[in-house]
Amino acid sequence: MKVIIYSIQSVFRSLWREKWINLLTILSISIGLSLLTAFILLTLNMDSVIQRWAKNFGLVVYLNDDISAEEEAALKIMISEDSDITEIKYISKELALKELRMTLGSKAPILEGLNDNPLPSSYELNLRRDLLEPELVRKKAVQLQQMKGIEEVQYGEKWLSSLYTITRAMKIGAFFIGGAIFIAITFITYSTIKIFFYRRKDEIETLKLLGATRIFIRLPFLLDGLIIGLLGGIISSLAIYGMYSFTSLKVIEFLPSFRLFMASFPFQVYIIVPLAGAAVSVIGSYIAVGKIRY
Amino acid sequence: MIEFSNVTKYYDDDVVLKDVTLTIEKGELTFITGPSGAGKSTLLKLIYCDERPDKGQIMVAGWDIGKLRQNTIPFLRRNVGIVFQDFRLLLNRTVFDNVALALRIHYMNASTIREDVHAVLKEVKLGHKADTYPQHLSGGEQQRVVIARAMVAKPTVLLADEPTGNLDIDNSQIIMGLFREINARGTTVLIATHNHGLFHASGRRVFYLKNHTIEKEEIG
Ligand SMILES: Nc1ncnc2c1ncn2[C@@H]1O[C@H](COP(=O)(O)OP(=O)(O)OP(=O)(O)O)[C@@H](O)[C@H]1O
Ligand SMILES: [Mg+2]
């Protein structure tokens, strides 16, 4: 407890003594954090858009025309018990024909010449979301194809693979850009604290000789980093709030599609950003102080 | 309290101390002397673990210095007050803060620190200089600040490295008087000096360091 009190006093003293470099660091951190937050929100939102698309992805399983009633019942059980399949929609021959008529509209009379319904009955299946990878879907399709009474399995193979590519690219991009910003913020604190540390090198040497423990030596720097990061985070939160208010007022007026972005703006961001700033900053400070050897 | 058994210390390939053996009892006040470069400071540094022995064993207040782990070194040093040859005062801190530092690292509370520091400054006759910065003090006064810092935490061992380096006889006598007082309170004191006047007729043990080893031991 006393350690903390003493350290906090000395931290505020040193923060004030170095107010310009600290201010610069705090602002840099807040810019970094704002970028990171905007980027994460953008990624999250794009992901949810993609997930919405993915929801519509389905396999169509066409049944054999001469399938027997028993076969059809057995097939139905097999499909409904398959845990990979989340939704099943049965389309009978009759329903298929009706839908075709509706699609054709005024041209429907061309079907009049048929005395037999040429359309097969079918199932529309939706797969579990985590299975929506080209390879896994292909396997599933092959597996279904081999079931008795199934004529053909169709799905949007090209569409799926491009969706998959986009999602992957986004995830990798998010990882690298997010990581780069993260490292940049760590480095900002790192270099500031490193400067402080070098300036106080003689003092630290003396402290060590007087019998100061590592924690006593390190704590002021960590607290320094903590406060810098926290302030950076708070400023960033305020900036994000400001931008949010501005965009919700102005931008949506001109750019209604922006509402999509705004829609999933979690309120916790205002708490997470300062905490993240503090955490990253403390890590930077810790690395800056490095190993203390006697 | 301090025990060297066949201690050898090299700096790179140069031997500084060779087969040094000596024992200092608890509560003693002793001197170590020898020409410049003989290794007096090195011997003291070995005691507070700023240097490690290459051979032999050093025991200080029950600690085996050669085997001390990094985490334990601060706790050894809290038992050892050091008057550095180069002072090591922090120039951007007042006299008060410089002395207080030795207590702050023990996490003492502020009011105790204030009392103790003022008491010790009065003892070294610097009560009126508490708020002065070191560079505005004379050499003798700076020396006394260093002594105050070394004694304020009431260490069991006090090491003084050339404590009268550039001082006149009067100032040297004042400082010797301080060491005798500290010693009278039970602290074991070891003073490294080439100022023979300091131990002449003192009746204390004096170790003569020459040719990398203790050449002789006499009563001053
Ligand atoms: N860190 C070091 N690295 C290499 N050599 C050193 C180091 N410190 C001291 N020495 C050498 O070791 C020898 C002993 O040095 P030391 O400082 O112990 O002598 P001293 O007896 O205290 O001398 P003085 O009376 O001048 O203070 C000297 O030759 C010195 O140059
Ligand atoms: Mg010396």
Side-chain angles (χ1 to χ4, degrees):
Chain A
M1 199 53 218
K2 284 174 209 151
V3 202
I4 308 225
I5 291 173
Y6 173 71
S7 303
I8 288 176
Q9 283 173 347
S10 78
V11 164
F12 277 106
R13 227 180 294 134
S14 84
L15 279 177
W16 183 248
R17 216 182 303 134
E18 307 283 357
K19 45 192 169 303
W20 296 114
I21 184 168
N22 281 320
L23 197 63
L24 199 67
T25 312
I26 289 167
L27 287 178
S28 312
I29 289 172
S30 62
I31 291 169
L33 281 172
S34 305
L35 281 175
L36 187 61
T37 312
F39 178 74
I40 287 172
L41 289 176
L42 198 69
T43 319
L44 281 179
N45 281 282
M46 268 177 77
D47 200 50
S48 73
V49 169
I50 285 173
Q51 293 291 347
R52 235 170 291 157
W53 288 343
K55 219 174 161 180
N56 299 326
F57 175 81
L59 295 161
V60 186
V61 175
Y62 294 103
L63 305 186
N64 269 333
D65 222 14
D66 54 3
I67 191 168
S68 70
E70 296 88 65
E71 275 177 338
E72 202 169 333
L75 197 62
K76 188 172 178 165
I77 289 170
M78 275 217 281
I79 289 173
S80 58
E81 279 180 354
D82 189 332
S83 62
D84 291 346
I85 295 165
T86 52
E87 257 176 81
I88 306 167
K89 193 171 152 202
Y90 179 70
I91 295 158
S92 65
K93 290 167 77 82
E94 293 71 33
L95 191 61
L97 189 62
K98 218 163 109 192
E99 279 182 358
L100 184 62
R101 278 220 177 83
M102 255 153 69
T103 323
L104 289 174
S106 59
K107 295 188 192 106
I110 56 166
L111 296 173
E112 293 307 319
L114 303 167
N115 39 19
D116 215 12
N117 182 350
L119 298 175
S121 38
S122 63
Y123 281 108
E124 275 180 31
L125 308 176
N126 283 3
L127 295 183
R128 265 205 344 256
R129 216 164 285 170
D130 56 309
L131 294 178
L132 295 187
E133 284 180 26
E135 196 46 37
L136 297 175
V137 174
R138 206 181 55 77
K139 260 193 202 145
K140 195 81 218 167
V142 169
Q143 187 197 331
L144 289 166
Q145 185 90 63
Q146 281 160 354
M147 286 182 182
K148 225 180 159 125
I150 288 181
E151 168 87 30
E152 203 190 351
V153 180
Q154 276 188 1
Y155 65 95
E157 201 167 350
K158 278 227 178 83
W159 185 85
L160 179 67
S161 77
S162 41
L163 176 79
Y164 183 68
T165 313
I166 292 171
T167 323
R168 262 183 74 98
M170 236 180 60
K171 277 187 187 146
I172 293 170
F175 184 79
F176 279 105
I177 298 176
I181 298 177
F182 196 82
I183 290 169
I185 300 173
T186 315
F187 189 75
I188 293 167
T189 334
Y190 168 86
S191 44
T192 301
I193 298 293
K194 198 81 179 168
I195 292 170
F196 293 165
F197 187 77
Y198 275 125
R199 269 197 214 160
R200 291 181 55 195
K201 208 142 186 69
D202 283 344
E203 182 178 341
I204 288 163
E205 211 45 52
T206 304
L207 280 173
K208 285 200 266 183
L209 290 172
L210 292 179
T213 51
R214 286 170 166 163
I215 185 82
F216 184 93
I217 294 168
R218 204 176 261 145
L219 203 60
F221 294 104
L222 297 188
L223 285 174
D224 229 346
L226 182 87
I227 292 170
I228 288 174
L230 205 59
L231 288 176
I234 290 170
I235 291 176
S236 175
S237 272
L238 293 175
I240 293 165
Y241 178 76
M243 285 191 302
Y244 174 76
S245 313
F246 177 77
T247 32
S248 38
L249 279 176
K250 294 276 159 83
V251 177
I252 288 174
E253 222 173 279
F254 304 102
L255 211 75
S257 66
F258 217 77
R259 203 178 292 280
L260 202 66
F261 174 73
M262 294 278 132
S264 69
F265 188 96
F267 192 76
Q268 295 92 307
V269 164
Y270 299 121
I271 297 159
I272 291 170
V273 168
L275 290 183
V280 172
S281 218
V282 167
I283 293 170
S285 316
Y286 193 90
I287 301 172
V289 174
K291 217 174 147 80
I292 292 168
R293 294 196 61 82
Y294 291 97
Chain B
M1 183 57 66
I2 300 171
E3 204 178 323
F4 279 57
S5 322
N6 303 101
V7 173
T8 298
K9 172 70 190 170
Y10 294 93
Y11 282 126
D12 303 316
D13 290 335
D14 301 329
V15 67
V16 192
L17 297 174
K18 195 158 184 285
D19 259 344
V20 171
T21 299
L22 60 84
T23 305
I24 296 167
E25 300 298 337
K26 187 172 189 310
E28 254 192 302
L29 187 157
T30 49
F31 295 89
I32 183 147
T33 191
S36 183
K40 300 182 294 295
S41 298
T42 304
L43 193 139
L44 297 188
K45 282 178 183 168
L46 287 167
I47 295 173
Y48 59 85
C49 210
D50 198 19
E51 294 290 350
R52 300 272 189 150
D54 293 305
K55 273 187 217 137
Q57 194 190 39
I58 303 171
M59 299 292 292
V60 177
W63 312 74
D64 187 340
I65 299 299
K67 292 196 182 125
L68 228 48
R69 290 183 29 239
Q70 286 280 318
N71 298 359
T72 332
I73 292 174
F75 299 97
L76 163 82
R77 290 186 185 161
R78 287 167 187 209
N79 292 304
V80 182
I82 311 162
V83 178
F84 300 99
Q85 187 167 12
D86 53 356
F87 293 178
R88 291 192 166 275
L89 289 171
L90 306 181
L91 301 179
N92 58 354
R93 307 279 182 101
T94 60
V95 166
F96 178 91
D97 280 333
N98 267 284
V99 176
L101 209 53
L103 296 178
R104 287 195 177 128
I105 60 170
H106 294 242
Y107 307 129
M108 274 192 190
N109 66 48
S111 61
T112 317
I113 290 179
R114 211 173 311 119
E115 272 173 38
D116 288 6
V117 172
H118 281 303
V120 81
L121 284 178
K122 206 175 273 172
E123 222 176 314
V124 300
K125 310 278 182 297
L126 285 174
H128 57 298
K129 299 277 189 182
D131 297 326
T132 310
Y133 286 86
Q135 62 269 48
H136 299 144
L137 297 178
S138 74
E141 287 167 335
Q142 288 186 21
Q143 187 66 261
R144 267 138 60 202
V145 178
V146 182
I147 294 171
R149 186 181 61 188
M151 63 190 275
V152 70
K154 303 186 174 63
T156 41
V157 176
L158 190 124
L159 307 174
D161 196 351
E162 216 62 78
T164 59
N166 301 308
L167 303 183
D168 58 27
I169 294 175
D170 286 349
N171 265 303
S172 302
Q173 283 315 314
I174 292 172
I175 279 162
M176 258 328 287
L178 281 171
F179 288 137
R180 275 194 297 269
E181 241 170 84
I182 295 162
N183 175 244
R185 276 180 239 151
T187 300
T188 308
V189 180
L190 174 60
I191 301 166
T193 183
H194 45 222
N195 180 355
H196 288 235
L198 228 48
F199 50 79
H200 181 71
S202 65
R204 313 280 188 166
R205 287 203 294 156
V206 183
F207 300 101
Y208 287 84
L209 199 58
K210 209 175 171 187
N211 297 326
H212 317 305
T213 193
I214 307 281
E215 203 187 43
K216 58 177 177 174
E217 183 194 320
E218 281 180 357
I219 304 292

